[in-house]
Amino acid sequence: MCGIAGFYGKGSLEDLKAINSTHSYRGPDANDVFEGPGIYLGHQRLSILDLENGKQPMKSICGRYVIVFNGEIYNHLELRERLIDKDYKFQTSHSDTETILNGYIEWGSEVVTKLNGMFAFCIYDQEKKSLFLARDHFGQKPLFYTCTKDTFIFSSELRSLCSHSEVRPEVSKLSLKKYFAHDYIPAPRTIFKNIYKLPASNFMKVDLKNLDIIISNYYQLKFSPREYNFNEACDELRLKLAKAVDRCMLSDVSLGVFLSGGIDSSCVANFAAKNSKEPIHTFSIGFEEKSFDESAYAKIVSNHIGSTHHTDTLSIEKAKEVIPHVLSKLDEPLGDASLLPTYLVSKFARENVKVILGGDAGDELFAGYDPFKALRPALLVSKLIPSFGRDIIRGLSGLLPVSHDNMSLDFKIKRFLRAFDYPQSQWNSWWMSSLDKKEFESLFNEKCKPEELFSEAIEEWESCNSNNIVDRTITFFSRMYMQNGILCKVDRSSMMNSLEVRAPFLDLELVEFVMSLPHSYKYKKGITKYILKKSLESELPHDILYRKKKGFGIPIASWLRDEKSFTFKNNSEYMNNDFINSKIKLHRNLKENTKSFLWSLYVLENTYINEYL
């Protein structure tokens, strides 16, 4: 796990050093640069594999190609053997970086279709004067870029890219709207005009002679349901889960597992314990507020699998201490408040290990979120209750007492009712949004166009190769929320602590198998993750598998009522300050729970982005 950067055109070695130093925590073990005619490539290394020989930037044996790479390739030894059979020579003993490099020489752009892992990399062809950049199938590793008429720049983080002397950041108002719509900014956009994220499962070719850019998609999440005997499908899923976890345990350094006590992390920890010759280390974070705390369940799982378990507790006092540090390093605004506990559990884990396995993607692939439970009632409401009836129900919902507990009843009902004036392609977006349409219009003092606001989500919904609403919702969460929110949060919070986090649920063989399962196996009779739970009944305690889902939430709603600790600058020329003040007062007077909007605003105002607002 590393930080990569580079540019061609205007700039100097000092620009590259500025970029590298800004994200140096991504790879504190070593750093180096490659310098050629008009081109600079930089690398910050977190040493995980081939500690002695895997240094970067790495040149091919022939000297023509240079690579900088961030990530881990779990099948690199298999690919290495295939390349050796084709008479390729290797100068390292087991570096996955060199496997990618030789793979590119042999297969060209097709190399990305053969990689099972997480990655963002750039390969410079000194003969053709071209760059090849790629990002992994699901977006686990970040890659930002910008291009002017005479300069191309890329980096692992937006904040570090902006350190280049040729970059002139300017906030995009549409991106700002999308941020408050999603609590993240969907790829390929960033908060700034003319700076972009390479989307997941895409590669880019850059002709340095004229700076022409071609971007291509190499992978799509496709549903291919087959006829399975359910029990046999459970057995196969269990085998593939164990194999995926085993692949992700490849490491030359110490390794552990995040363990929340939920199904996904418990599943990963269980198979990691079985695959390990010694007791594994597991790590969890608890909360003083009971409605958010899951540490007791994590302990139950730890006792069940025999792990060496470590627990820390997050209080508002500890949050106050770390928030300024975390937000000062955040490269683009991210409104998911679970960034804080993810950062703290990463910091906590890094004291003992250098690599962590996590349960990310289980909810997305197996229909685990609450909106999946809302789909059937939503279909009935939209079909049976006319618009005026829904308006009456909305009015009555306003009489419900406001609660700041985790996933409270009033929160769920109000969010549920928000979506019914819009097509199905927008339902999940409105359910997840921190504001409704009227609030967007008040915040930005102009008409809200939902089709523009949620354009990326609508595109993903409509491009899904299944017409089933569960499958399409899986696509939404996998391609939108997971890529731009969950995986971004995990990457940034772990990398701030120089910790590598791996997601066994995103093993390609496992994902392809899950995509072949009928949607009714994932969500059945009101039970989310149905087949995952059934397949794990022989592995984990029943109370862990079938307890009510909490999610990795934190008590940010009650924390935001603390006026002394959480103050708002409210100084943006893009937004309506009176509307913002009204939302702050409503929340602090317990008239509304506006935590999502207020936290997203607080994040925005306390990152480096604020100076451009």
Side-chain angles (χ1 to χ4, degrees), residues 267-286:
C267 168
V268 171
N270 172 72
F271 289 117
K274 288 191 169 186
N275 292 335
S276 178
K277 295 178 182 179
E278 300 178 354
I280 62 168
H281 287 263
T282 52
F283 303 87
S284 67
I285 197 93

Side-chain angles (χ1 to χ4, degrees), residues 127-315:
E127 184 177 302
K128 286 189 176 180
K129 301 297 179 188
S130 65
L131 298 177
F132 178 81
L133 301 97
R135 194 172 176 210
D136 63 68
H137 300 69
F138 305 105
Q140 296 178 77
K141 294 294 101 188
L143 191 58
F144 294 86
Y145 71 94
T146 187
C147 190
T148 66
K149 63 179 181 180
D150 49 21
T151 305
F152 175 83
I153 311 167
F154 72 91
S155 181
S156 289
E157 294 191 4
L158 178 63
R159 190 171 63 103
S160 60
L161 186 147
C162 291
S163 300
H164 193 287
S165 59
E166 289 297 309
V167 177
R168 305 285 187 270
E170 182 183 352
V171 167
S172 161
K173 189 172 183 180
L174 179 55
S175 291
L176 192 61
K177 292 178 181 179
K178 288 177 180 287
Y179 170 61
F180 284 107
H182 298 285
D183 294 335
Y184 56 77
I185 301 167
R189 304 185 70 91
T190 71
I191 191 67
F192 296 126
K193 296 177 181 178
N194 303 317
I195 304 178
Y196 306 96
K197 294 188 280 273
L198 183 66
S201 64
N202 276 256
F203 63 77
M204 171 194 295
K205 295 179 179 179
V206 185
D207 185 342
L208 299 180
K209 294 185 287 294
N210 51 26
L211 292 186
D212 280 348
I213 294 176
I214 298 175
I215 297 176
S216 303
N217 176 271
Y218 65 84
Y219 176 83
Q220 289 184 319
L221 202 65
K222 290 187 177 180
F223 296 89
S224 53
R226 292 163 48 193
E227 292 294 329
Y228 285 103
N229 173 280
F230 183 77
N231 290 333
E232 290 177 356
C234 286
D235 292 341
E236 185 68 16
L237 175 58
R238 193 163 50 250
L239 289 172
K240 290 192 182 300
L241 284 165
K243 189 175 180 180
V245 172
D246 188 46
R247 279 199 188 103
C248 287
M249 294 181 73
L250 183 66
S251 174
D252 291 340
V253 296
S254 54
L255 181 147
V257 181
F258 284 152
L259 179 58
S260 69
I263 298 170
D264 305 329
S265 65
S266 300
C267 168
V268 171
N270 172 72
F271 289 117
K274 288 191 169 186
N275 292 335
S276 178
K277 295 178 182 179
E278 300 178 354
I280 62 168
H281 287 263
T282 52
F283 303 87
S284 67
I285 197 93
F287 301 95
E288 293 179 343
E289 292 83 349
K290 289 185 178 181
S291 71
F292 293 85
D293 187 51
E294 292 187 290
S295 58
Y297 296 107
K299 185 60 178 174
I300 290 171
V301 177
S302 172
N303 291 337
H304 179 77
I305 65 176
S307 70
T308 301
H309 192 57
H310 311 261
T311 304
D312 197 9
T313 301
L314 177 60
S315 64

Side-chain angles (χ1 to χ4, degrees), residues 91-109:
Q91 51 197 332
T92 63
S93 63
H94 59 288
S95 167
D96 52 354
T97 306
E98 191 173 19
T99 300
I100 296 174
L101 191 54
N102 279 340
Y104 178 74
I105 296 171
E106 172 65 21
W107 297 303
S109 61

